[in-house]
């Protein structure tokens, strides 16, 4: 049996199989062998892409016998870096690099270099780290209208922590809700109700912290279905989640309605503004039609906002905000009886890269309100151009009503083959599923002259190419196609697990026999 037969077979099965039913089918004679064969070919394709430098820079499966010279090391790292820089800096990537101007990067590097030894865990050595972190939180909160929220709703006192990224901000908020609900309401089997479009970091929180994740559908506009969420809430529900916007389709959930529902039920509401936190406030000021997403809504109790996305800082920081310090308390970890002394740590990590927090602070202070407003304007304008351009390409349609993260699909051509054709032209876009689609997250890279036009002409060409040519083997299209249509989710999971294994595979050292 090959993948096409499996696809034919799966078309006749219920949409997505997990658990015992899938395991039953996988026990049928020949199925497991067939899968192993498929895994092999797929992973071989992936592996090639993951280690392109083995001929250029020798693999290091163990410490070298003697250390190499700094000069040699820098020669190796720059060889690889030079091969990678053009693609993202010339704007061929969706998301990934959000600012990327050389002067901006040089400034961040300068600040990083000054602070590379800094660890906020040692506040006595680096009180400047305390200043940086507190002010990154305060500036982020204020950008999201904290003072106005405090004026509107007495008792509100916005606070937060800097974390290592959006995922950690989400993990921390979900842990806080879990411990809050256990302490205040005796909830022992907590669940959260979140739309299917919400980020996998919430599932990760569920797995790590023993929280059941109840996923509810989105409407035809790809926004959360509030009625479905209302139905899904039960006595063990500790929080609801909405995205502003969600990663897949870039649309903002009806946060006002959702948070009002949470407020009425006396449970938490988390706005995931990892992606939009540094754009939406400025979009609002620029008159774009965006709902209120922050603490001005009485039901919003926490927000995640990524400084390392549209905050334009270096990778490795994000902010978790809370409506009140009493909720943030449930995020903290403290212990009093360790022989190593008293220990208190606000987030997941122990030692933290203070330099990255210093960089985030420096970037925020450098850009200021004017800088962020201007950046948002340019991104939103480019988003408009790209959206209209996609809508005018025959065979494509835009999903939902997005602003600057534009998802598109097709009823006429295989959109995953379009994704591959774009990859051949250098583009690194995101493949989506349920329904099959592709998106581009517009960043400052795409606001450079000519980039949006190049994207649109490459896209129009790619669609025509896919229309004209029969499918060929290879590329990612068959994998996306398989992943999106095979009902055996355990099989898709297997592939993902093996993919992660691949990331850690180092070829053995090639022993060069010296010829005398
Ligand atoms: C990026 C993102 C996250 C997770 O952030 P990481 O920084 O990758 O951990 C969460 N939610 C949304 C909507 C995102 O776009």
């Amino acid at each position: 049996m090959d993948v096409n037969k499996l696809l034919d077979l799966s078309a006749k099965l219920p949409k997505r199989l997990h658990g015992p039913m899938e395991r039953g089918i996988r026990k049928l004679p020949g199925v497991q062998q067939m899968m192993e064969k498929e895994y092999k070919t797929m992973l071989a394709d992936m592996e090639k892409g993951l280690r392109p430098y083995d001929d250029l820079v020798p693999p290091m499966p163990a410490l070298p016998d003697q250390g190499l010279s700094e000069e040699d090391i820098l020669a190796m790292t720059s060889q690889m870096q030079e091969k990678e820089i053009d693609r993202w800096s010339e704007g061929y990537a969706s998301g990934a690099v959000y600012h990327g101007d050389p002067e901006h990067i040089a400034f961040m590097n300068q600040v990083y270099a000054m602070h590379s030894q800094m660890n906020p865990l040692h506040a006595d050595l680096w009180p400047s780290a305390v200043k940086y972190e507190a002010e990154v939180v305060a500036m982020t909160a204020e950008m999201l209208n904290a003072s106005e929220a405090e004026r509107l709703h007495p008792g509100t006192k916005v606070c937060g922590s800097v974390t290592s990224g959006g995922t950690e901000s989400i993990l921390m908020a979900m842990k806080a809700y879990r411990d809050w609900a256990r302490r205040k309401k005796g909830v022992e089997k907590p669940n959260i109700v979140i739309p299917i479009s919400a980020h996998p970091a919430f599932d990760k929180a569920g797995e790590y912290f023993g929280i059941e994740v109840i996923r509810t559908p989105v409407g035809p506009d790809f926004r959360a279905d509030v009625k479905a969420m209302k139905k899904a809430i039960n006595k063990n529900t500790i929080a609801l989640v909405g995205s502003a916007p969600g990663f897949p389709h870039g649309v903002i959930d009806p946060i006002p309605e959702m948070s009002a529902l949470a407020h009425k039920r006396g449970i938490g509401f988390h706005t995931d503004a990892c992606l939009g936190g540094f754009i939406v406030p400025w979009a609002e000021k620029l008159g774009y039609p965006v709902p209120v997403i922050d603490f001005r809504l009485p039901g919003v109790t926490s927000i995640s906002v990524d400084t390392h996305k549209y905050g334009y800082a270096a990778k490795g920081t994000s902010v978790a905000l809370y409506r009140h310090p009493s909720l943030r308390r449930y995020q903290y970890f403290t212990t009093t009886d360790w022989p190593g002394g008293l220990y208190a740590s606000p987030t997941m990590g122990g030692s933290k890269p203070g330099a990255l927090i210093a960089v985030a602070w420096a970037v925020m202070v450098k850009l200021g309100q004017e800088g962020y407003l201007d950046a948002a304007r340019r991104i939103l304008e480019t988003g408009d151009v790209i959206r209209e351009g996609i809508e005018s390409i025959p065979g494509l349609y835009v999903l939902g009503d997005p602003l600057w993260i534009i998802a598109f699909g097709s009823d006429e051509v295989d959109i995953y083959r379009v994704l591959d054709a774009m990859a051949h032209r250098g583009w690194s876009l995101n493949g989506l599923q349920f329904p099959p689609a592709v998106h581009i997250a517009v960043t400052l890279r795409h606001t450079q002259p000519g980039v949006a036009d190049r994207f649109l002409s490459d896209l129009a060409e790619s669609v025509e190419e896919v229309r004209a040519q029969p499918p060929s083997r290879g590329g990612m299209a068959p994998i996306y196609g398989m992943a999106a249509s095979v009902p055996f989710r355990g099989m898709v999971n297997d592939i993902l697990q093996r993919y992660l294994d691949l990331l850690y595979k180092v070829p053995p050292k090639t022993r060069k026999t010296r010829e005398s």
Side-chain angles (χ1 to χ4, degrees), residues 98 164-168 170 197-202 243-248 272-276 304 306 308-309 315 317-318:
Y98 293 81
S164 62
T167 298
E168 192 186 342
I170 288 168
S197 51
H199 195 275
F202 294 97
S243 311
F247 174 85
D272 179 9
C274 280
L275 200 50
S304 48
D306 284 359
H308 73 188
K309 284 183 177 163
K315 273 286 173 280
T317 61
S318 167

Side-chain angles (χ1 to χ4, degrees), residues 477-501:
I479 294 174
Y480 275 108
M482 188 279 301
S485 53
V486 151
F488 308 107
R489 304 321 284 173
M491 173 180 173
V492 181
N493 254 322
D494 274 359
I495 294 171
L496 295 178
Q497 301 266 344
R498 283 156 203 240
Y499 167 78
L500 292 179
D501 286 344

Side-chain angles (χ1 to χ4, degrees), residues 142-279:
E142 201 42 48
M143 178 182 69
L144 287 161
N145 306 292
S147 323
E148 197 188 332
E150 287 166 9
R151 214 167 35 244
L152 287 169
H153 310 289
T156 291
K157 196 170 179 309
V158 180
C159 64
S161 287
V162 175
T163 69
S164 62
T167 298
E168 192 186 342
S169 292
I170 288 168
L171 291 176
M172 291 290 74
M174 295 306 112
K175 180 212 171 298
Y177 289 124
R178 183 196 66 173
D179 293 354
W180 163 78
R182 187 188 284 151
R183 171 78 64 86
K184 294 287 177 188
K185 306 177 166 197
V187 176
E188 290 297 336
K189 291 192 169 133
N191 70 61
I192 53 174
V193 175
I194 77 177
I196 50 165
S197 51
H199 195 275
F202 294 97
D203 299 295
K204 206 179 216 181
E207 276 197 29
Y208 286 8
F209 302 136
I211 302 167
E212 185 195 352
V213 178
I214 301 172
R215 291 265 186 183
T216 53
V218 293
D221 56 1
F222 297 94
R223 300 189 317 146
D225 177 343
V226 186
K227 277 207 188 101
M229 293 184 86
K230 187 174 173 185
K231 261 201 207 144
I233 298 173
N234 61 36
K235 66 178 194 323
N236 289 322
T237 303
I238 58 173
L240 309 182
V241 172
S243 311
F247 174 85
H249 312 111
V251 296
I252 302 178
D253 284 328
I255 308 286
E257 292 81 358
M258 297 162 88
S259 62
L261 173 61
H263 195 46
K264 208 168 134 201
R265 295 299 183 94
I267 58 180
F269 183 87
H270 182 86
T271 298
D272 179 9
C274 280
L275 200 50
F278 276 86
I279 297 281

Side-chain angles (χ1 to χ4, degrees), residues 266-302:
I267 58 180
F269 183 87
H270 182 86
T271 298
D272 179 9
C274 280
L275 200 50
F278 276 86
I279 297 281
V280 173
W282 312 110
E284 185 182 328
K285 290 197 166 60
L286 291 165
Y288 282 81
V290 291
V292 174
I293 62 159
D294 55 42
F295 299 110
R296 287 173 294 172
L297 299 168
V300 172
T301 45
S302 60

